[in-house]
């Protein structure tokens, strides 16, 4: 639950000026390196300090005055930008108006001495205990830009292809960067400027520091990747931990513990409830959000659990004269959101406690002179039961005792005019040096341009030759791929035809008298076309494999389940006879009967399978056909008899009605 950083988890550099001045030529620094257990001390130059920071990458560089590390704002921003991604600069004495280091150290019970090394050690220990403000000139937003690594050039017949290649490379690299950002679940916005053949550039605004982004600055061939952290408008200070103001805490104990934090002005700062957190978790949650003046409950007497919390914070307690009714609690908390009744009760307790002390808070505020912390005085009056006058006298004594130290801790900043003069002098020097560098660069670039123009002419000739070769290679590759596909298709056709030829050979052997693969004793046999099931798919499959022609003997292994359309499909082949295993549906039997196609049981015909086909004795087949004709004649007679009986019945029924 705590967001505080333990000193044991990181290395802290404490820095204080030892001799000289950062505005001079050779300042030296007292350096105290604190790892949470031991302190290493050294005196280093400014250059060595920077090198140690780059090599060891401490979590914090702590100082009592940030302008001991940089002469002015511009140099300070440059210093902040050069720090490793995981290193922050911390001013332990405060923000824009720092306090004396001695006062801050005494307040936090940190050893302090006036020697520079002792001050550096005190700064390191304070920062390790999360005392101070982080100095920042940059936001946590980083801009990653993917752009062209070279000019697209002008002229030449291959300019379009060259430009398309560069823009295509930029688009490819931009997509790779986007994939890496998504893999690391980083929030970003993308701004793309499209161009011929791809992207001219792509800018990713990432909500993360450069060290958290899985992309590095580089330049390779046609593409360059630039990473720049977003600058703030000025120097900003952020406390290492949130300021813990004095607050009123309402607690509703039980199976579910609820806590509400209310400020002295009546604003509800936070509310929370949990079924699993223990006392330590609740105390830690409260500590992170403020310093309790009053701990309140909504029932009387104060519950034992709430009393324990009150004693933990040495705060005043508050309970109502009688248990607060539900309707009053609902009315008092109506303007504030909450998740459950426990949070409502805790919030109501804190708000009613505020109402009870409102007049006292106002009287205290009226007596306070400007510049005095109202929360500190209110806490000591309410919780410590001191008078306002006694607290003010105590605070005045503390301030006067620190004045001597504050005079000795002289700020090293120049006046505004001196700073302006220094800035202008440095600016003139930089501009003069920059002009000289630019003039030298112009001469070098003129020579370089002549050299590159001659190389460009040669490269364009070579490129045109290579383009023609590439185009011819691509054409031949496409042709080769097409021929390979045609070859594969032809091989598949040949294999299919060879299989069909083998099946036709087997049929031919069965249809002729020599029967080269059947013994002589099997003369008088007829081929039988086997169909696995009485379905349209099985019939078509048999027809594709070895063909079903008119007059063929067809054997159906499983004749059950056939419908009208299946029987009609079989009837279209006009087989000589259909031998079946299994029962035939009435509709299929009727349709084959009407089509005068003989149907008989396969058990009546002795068959022998040869490869995928079968053979049967001609005599058995004829017997099956003759048997079907006899049954067909009997079936027709039965039908006629039934029709005559029906006509007679209908005639008699008509006479009866008359």
């Amino acid at each position: 639950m705590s967001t505080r950083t333990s000193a044991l988890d990181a290395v802290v550099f404490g820095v204080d000026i030892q001799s000289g001045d950062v505005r001079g030529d050779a300042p030296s620094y007292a350096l105290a390196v604190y790892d949470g257990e031991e302190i290493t001390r050294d005196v280093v130059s400014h250059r060595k300090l920077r090198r140690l920071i780059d090599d060891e990458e401490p979590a914090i560089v702590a100082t009592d005055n940030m302008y001991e590390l940089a002469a002015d704002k511009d140099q300070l921003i440059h210093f902040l930008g050069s720090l490793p991604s995981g290193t922050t600069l911390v001013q332990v004495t405060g923000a824009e108006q720092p306090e004396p280091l001695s006062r801050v150290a005494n307040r936090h019970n940190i050893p302090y001495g006036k020697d520079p090394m002792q001050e550096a050690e005190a700064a390191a220990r304070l920062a390790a205990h999360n005392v101070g403000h982080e100095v920042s000139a940059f936001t946590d937003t980083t801009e990653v830009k993917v752009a062209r690594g070279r000019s697209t050039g002008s002229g030449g017949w291959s300019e379009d292809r060259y430009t398309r290649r560069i823009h295509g490379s930029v688009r490819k690299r931009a997509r790779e960067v986007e994939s890496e950002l998504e893999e690391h679940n980083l929030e970003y916005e993308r701004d793309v400027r499209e161009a011929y053949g791809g992207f001219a550039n792509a800018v990713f605004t990432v909500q993360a520091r450069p060290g958290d982004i899985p992309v590095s600055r580089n330049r390779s061939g046609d593409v360059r990747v630039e990473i720049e952290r977003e600058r703030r408008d000025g120097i900003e200070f952020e406390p290492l931990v949130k300021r813990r103001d004095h607050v009123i805490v309402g607690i509703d104990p039980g199976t579910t513990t609820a806590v509400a934090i209310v400020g002295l002005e009546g604003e509800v700062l936070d509310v929370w409830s949990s079924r699993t957190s223990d006392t330590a978790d609740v105390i830690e949650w409260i500590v992170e959000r403020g310093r309790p003046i009053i701990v309140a409950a909504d029932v009387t007497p104060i519950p034992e659990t709430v009393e324990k919390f009150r004693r933990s914070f040495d705060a005043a307690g508050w309970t109502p004269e009688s248990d607060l009714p539900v309707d009053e609690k609902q009315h008092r908390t109506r303007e504030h959101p909450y998740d459950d009744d426990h949070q409502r009760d805790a919030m109501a307790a804190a708000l009613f406690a505020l109402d009870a002390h409102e007049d006292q808070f106002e009287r205290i505020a009226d007596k306070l002179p400007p510049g005095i912390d109202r929360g500190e005085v209110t806490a000591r009056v309410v919780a410590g039961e001191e008078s306002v006058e006694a607290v003010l006298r105590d605070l005045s004594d503390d301030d006067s005792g620190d004045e001597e130290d504050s005079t000795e801790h002289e700020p090293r900043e120049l006046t505004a005019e001196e700073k302006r003069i220094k800035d202008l002098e440095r600016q003139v020097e930089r501009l003069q040096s920059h002009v000289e560098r630019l003039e030298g660069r112009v001469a070098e670039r003129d020579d370089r341009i002549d050299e590159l123009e001659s190389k460009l002419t040669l490269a364009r000739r070579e490129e045109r030759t290579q383009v023609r070769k590439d185009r011819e290679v691509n054409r031949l590759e496409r042709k080769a791929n097409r021929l390979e596909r045609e070859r594969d298709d032809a091989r598949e056709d040949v294999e299919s035809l060879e299989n069909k030829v083998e099946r036709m050979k087997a049929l031919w052997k069965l249809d002729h008298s020599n029967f080269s693969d059947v013994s002589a004793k099997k003369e008088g046999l007829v081929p039988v076309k086997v169909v696995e099931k009485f379905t349209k798919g099985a019939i078509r499959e048999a027809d594709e494999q070895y063909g079903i022609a008119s007059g063929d003997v067809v054997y159906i292994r499983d004749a059950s389940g056939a419908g009208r359309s299946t029987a009609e499909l079989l009837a279209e082949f006009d087989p000589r006879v259909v031998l079946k295993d299994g029962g035939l549906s009435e509709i299929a039997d009727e349709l084959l009967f009407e089509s005068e196609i003989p149907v008989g049981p396969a058990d009546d015909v002795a068959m022998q399978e040869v490869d995928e086909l079968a053979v049967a004795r001609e005599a058995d087949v004829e017997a099956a056909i003759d048997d079907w004709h006899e049954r067909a004649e009997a079936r027709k007679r039965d039908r006629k008899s039934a029709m005559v009986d029906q006509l007679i019945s209908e005639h008699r029924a008509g006479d009866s009605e008359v």
Side-chain angles (χ1 to χ4, degrees):
M1 189 179 297
S2 176
T3 58
R4 292 174 63 87
T5 302
S6 173
L8 298 176
D9 296 334
V11 174
V12 179
F13 279 14
V15 180
D16 193 71
I17 197 81
Q18 174 79 20
S19 63
D21 192 287
V22 71
R23 300 169 183 82
D25 294 332
S28 62
Y29 292 91
L31 173 63
V33 180
Y34 182 49
D35 62 1
E37 295 180 355
E38 298 180 354
I39 285 189
T40 304
R41 302 170 181 84
D42 195 5
V43 177
V44 298
S45 65
H46 189 273
R47 179 175 298 177
K48 184 176 180 180
L49 175 63
R50 296 290 297 272
R51 186 169 66 252
L52 288 173
I53 293 173
D54 291 338
D55 293 342
E56 298 189 21
E57 297 185 4
I60 294 174
V61 176
T63 181
D64 62 337
N65 187 349
M66 60 187 180
Y67 283 104
E68 292 181 351
L69 297 171
D72 52 30
K73 180 179 176 181
D74 290 338
Q75 290 190 19
L76 179 61
I77 292 174
H78 178 74
F79 177 81
L80 293 171
S82 66
L83 291 177
S85 59
T87 302
T88 58
L89 175 63
V90 173
Q91 185 167 271
V92 297
T93 51
E96 289 87 353
Q97 297 179 348
E99 299 179 89
L101 179 60
S102 59
R103 183 185 303 174
V104 179
N106 290 334
R107 183 186 307 146
H108 295 277
N109 198 25
I110 297 296
Y112 170 76
K114 296 181 180 180
D115 182 74
M117 187 61 70
Q118 293 176 314
E119 290 194 347
E121 180 178 340
R125 291 183 181 275
L126 286 168
H129 286 81
N130 285 329
V131 177
H133 288 68
E134 178 184 346
V135 184
S136 174
F138 303 92
T139 68
D140 288 338
T141 300
T142 304
E143 184 179 274
V144 180
K145 183 177 182 181
V146 182
R148 296 178 301 209
R150 61 185 68 178
S151 172
T152 56
S154 60
W157 69 275
S158 62
E159 179 183 350
D160 287 348
R161 191 190 69 83
Y162 181 67
T163 300
R164 188 170 62 251
R165 188 193 73 184
I166 293 177
H167 291 163
S169 299
V170 173
R171 178 175 58 190
K172 178 182 178 182
R173 181 60 180 138
R175 290 174 176 173
E176 292 174 352
V177 170
E178 187 169 13
S179 298
E180 292 174 355
L181 295 177
E182 290 180 350
E183 287 178 2
H184 287 74
N185 296 320
L186 294 176
E187 182 180 353
Y188 67 91
E189 294 182 0
R190 191 187 76 165
D191 184 17
V192 172
R193 185 162 68 87
E194 297 185 357
Y196 176 57
F199 296 163
N201 61 57
V203 179
F204 298 89
T205 304
V206 187
Q207 301 301 318
R209 297 189 177 192
D212 299 328
I213 298 175
V215 180
S216 59
R217 181 185 290 106
N218 65 77
R219 184 185 187 112
S220 176
D222 298 334
V223 183
R224 74 178 190 275
V225 179
E226 299 176 353
I227 299 178
E228 184 175 355
R229 195 170 174 186
E230 186 178 89
R231 282 272 304 271
R232 299 185 188 274
D233 294 335
I235 302 296
E236 292 190 5
F237 299 87
E238 182 177 354
L240 294 183
V241 293
K242 293 183 179 179
R243 180 186 172 189
R244 296 172 54 243
D245 294 326
H246 293 86
V247 295
I248 299 173
V249 178
I251 299 177
D252 180 56
T255 305
T256 298
T257 301
V259 186
I261 307 293
V262 176
L264 300 184
E265 299 294 335
E267 68 278 16
V268 177
L269 302 178
D270 205 349
V271 62
W272 169 76
S273 61
S274 173
R275 293 175 59 89
T276 58
S277 298
D278 56 16
T279 301
D281 292 333
V282 176
I283 290 176
E284 186 176 3
W285 186 86
I286 295 173
V287 167
E288 289 180 352
R289 286 154 179 80
R291 291 178 284 178
I293 293 176
I294 301 170
V295 175
D298 65 335
V299 296
T300 190
I302 188 168
E304 183 179 353
T305 303
V306 180
E307 175 63 17
K308 289 181 180 179
F309 287 120
R310 185 198 69 76
R311 289 197 299 267
S312 298
F313 295 110
D314 196 18
W318 181 88
T319 58
E321 295 180 358
S322 60
D323 294 355
L324 293 175
V326 174
D327 57 344
E328 292 185 13
K329 290 188 286 188
Q330 291 175 339
H331 180 76
R332 186 63 181 87
T333 60
R334 67 189 184 281
E335 297 179 356
H336 307 286
Y338 51 83
D339 295 336
D340 50 53
D341 293 344
H342 303 286
Q343 293 185 7
R344 178 203 64 198
D345 293 347
M347 190 188 306
L351 292 173
F352 274 105
L354 174 69
D355 296 342
H357 289 81
E358 186 174 6
D359 293 339
Q360 184 183 17
F361 291 169
E362 291 178 357
R363 289 194 301 271
I364 294 172
D366 293 339
K367 295 180 180 181
L368 296 181
I372 299 299
D373 185 1
R374 173 189 172 189
E376 180 67 25
V377 177
T378 303
R380 293 176 63 174
V381 172
V382 175
E385 298 182 353
E386 303 179 49
S387 66
V388 177
E389 292 75 11
V391 175
L392 292 177
R393 283 196 302 270
D394 191 18
L395 293 176
S396 299
D397 293 341
D398 290 342
D399 291 339
S400 62
D402 288 333
E403 285 180 359
E404 296 181 2
D405 292 338
S406 64
T407 56
E408 293 177 0
H409 185 75
E410 297 178 359
R412 295 179 174 81
E413 276 196 84
L414 299 176
T415 64
E417 293 180 356
E418 290 173 335
K419 287 183 178 180
R420 181 60 177 164
I421 292 172
K422 290 282 188 181
D423 290 343
L424 292 175
E425 289 176 350
R426 281 191 295 271
Q427 185 176 2
V428 170
E429 292 176 358
R430 288 197 301 269
L431 290 174
Q432 289 176 345
S433 176
H434 186 58
V435 168
E436 293 176 358
R437 288 196 302 271
L438 290 178
E439 289 175 348
R441 290 180 183 176
V442 169
E444 292 176 359
R445 289 183 179 180
D446 288 340
D447 296 338
R448 182 63 175 164
I449 287 172
D450 294 337
E451 179 184 354
L452 292 176
E453 284 180 347
S454 60
K455 289 184 178 181
L456 180 61
T457 302
L458 177 61
R460 283 177 174 172
R461 282 199 301 270
E462 294 176 351
E463 187 177 13
R464 286 194 292 270
T465 303
Q466 186 63 38
V467 167
R468 287 193 292 269
K469 290 181 179 178
D470 292 343
R471 188 181 293 116
E472 181 65 17
V473 168
N474 290 335
R475 186 184 66 81
L476 293 175
E477 287 179 349
R478 289 195 298 271
K479 183 177 180 181
N481 292 335
R482 178 177 56 80
L483 292 175
E484 287 178 356
R485 289 194 299 271
E486 292 177 356
R487 179 201 63 195
D488 294 339
D489 293 341
R491 285 178 176 175
E492 291 178 0
D493 293 341
V494 168
E495 184 178 357
S496 176
L497 292 173
E498 287 177 346
N499 293 335
K500 189 172 182 180
V501 167
E502 293 297 326
R503 291 195 298 271
M504 297 304 295
K505 286 180 178 179
L507 287 174
W508 184 86
K509 291 175 182 179
L510 292 174
D511 287 339
H512 291 74
S513 58
N514 57 355
F515 291 100
S516 59
D517 61 344
V518 180
S519 61
K521 67 178 181 180
K522 292 186 179 178
E523 293 181 2
L525 302 178
V526 294
V528 178
K529 308 296 177 64
V530 180
V531 178
E532 295 297 327
K533 293 184 179 180
F534 200 0
T535 62
K536 290 187 285 186
I539 295 172
R540 292 192 179 100
E541 183 179 356
D543 182 45
E544 291 176 358
Q545 289 182 349
Y546 34 76
I548 300 177
S550 177
D552 282 347
V553 177
V554 176
Y555 166 46
I556 301 176
R557 293 188 188 276
D558 182 4
S560 61
R564 174 177 293 275
S565 59
T566 306
E568 290 175 349
L569 176 63
L570 181 60
E572 291 177 0
F573 289 101
D574 190 24
R576 178 183 177 190
V577 64
V578 175
L579 304 176
K580 64 181 181 66
D581 279 334
L584 195 64
S585 65
E586 293 183 2
I587 189 169
D589 181 66
E590 182 65 25
L591 196 146
L592 293 175
F593 177 77
E594 293 176 356
S595 301
E596 296 186 352
I597 296 175
V599 178
D603 293 341
D604 295 345
V605 178
M607 285 184 288
Q608 181 179 357
E609 294 192 13
V610 179
D611 295 332
E612 298 175 351
L613 304 173
V615 293
R617 299 181 185 279
E618 177 68 28
D620 291 347
V621 172
E622 288 293 341
I625 295 174
D626 294 339
D627 182 65
W628 179 84
H629 281 296
E630 292 177 0
R631 286 186 282 108
E633 289 297 329
R635 189 171 179 176
K636 290 178 181 178
R637 287 195 299 269
D638 292 341
R639 282 189 176 183
K640 289 181 180 180
S641 176
M643 290 175 60
V644 171
D645 291 342
Q646 184 178 1
L647 289 175
I648 293 173
S649 298
E650 291 176 354
H651 180 71
R652 289 176 178 175
D655 292 342
S656 298
E657 291 178 359
V658 174

